Amino acid sequence: MKITVSLIIPVYNAEKTLDRCIESIQSQTFTDWEIILIDDGSQDKSADICDKYAISDTRIHVFHQKNGGVSSARNTGIRTAKGQYLMFIDSDDTIEVTFLADYIAAIQSMKADVVV
């Protein structure tokens, strides 16, 4: 499977928002993506939620680590990403259904190295 975008999501005690975040990515019109969830030592049910999604969708990968902060979690995601492009999303974010399609279109049309 081709992976165009690796979405890196640091997760820390996000049980109230994590489902909504992941499901907004799963509903994208653009499907050549992987989600990398980094459970950064959560003390709530976030780790279980991450594992549940990884079991049900092969595009979702989970890494559990001791709490090291958001930068440490993002670095773990960067090291494991397989996509051509990287995107950081927070565990309390949601994205519109065409967000990734628009993101890739912007990169390609502008020959951009970075899209903000």
Side-chain angles (χ1 to χ4, degrees), residues 27-41:
S27 68
Q28 293 295 297
T29 57
F30 183 87
T31 59
D32 298 333
W33 52 259
E34 70 174 345
I35 296 175
I36 302 171
L37 297 165
I38 301 92
D39 171 41
D40 194 37

Side-chain angles (χ1 to χ4, degrees), residues 83-109:
Q84 182 178 0
Y85 303 106
L86 300 178
M87 178 181 290
F88 298 113
I89 295 190
D90 292 331
S91 58
D92 60 348
D93 289 343
T94 58
I95 57 176
E96 296 295 322
V97 71
T98 61
F99 182 80
L100 291 179
D102 296 341
Y103 174 80
I104 295 302
I107 290 171
Q108 292 172 343
S109 71

Side-chain angles (χ1 to χ4, degrees), residues 3 10 24-25 59:
I3 299 172
S24 76
I25 297 166
R59 299 173 295 177

Side-chain angles (χ1 to χ4, degrees), residues 8 36 38 72-81 86:
I8 299 169
I36 302 171
I38 301 92
S72 172
R74 285 182 178 153
N75 287 336
T76 297
I78 291 168
R79 281 192 300 275
T80 60
L86 300 178

Side-chain angles (χ1 to χ4, degrees), residues 13-50:
N13 292 344
E15 69 182 1
K16 293 180 182 176
T17 59
L18 190 54
D19 287 309
R20 193 175 70 234
C21 176
I22 295 169
E23 289 168 11
S24 76
I25 297 166
Q26 288 179 311
S27 68
Q28 293 295 297
T29 57
F30 183 87
T31 59
D32 298 333
W33 52 259
E34 70 174 345
I35 296 175
I36 302 171
L37 297 165
I38 301 92
D39 171 41
D40 194 37
S42 294
Q43 298 175 357
D44 64 0
K45 295 184 185 200
S46 294
D48 295 334
I49 294 168
C50 290

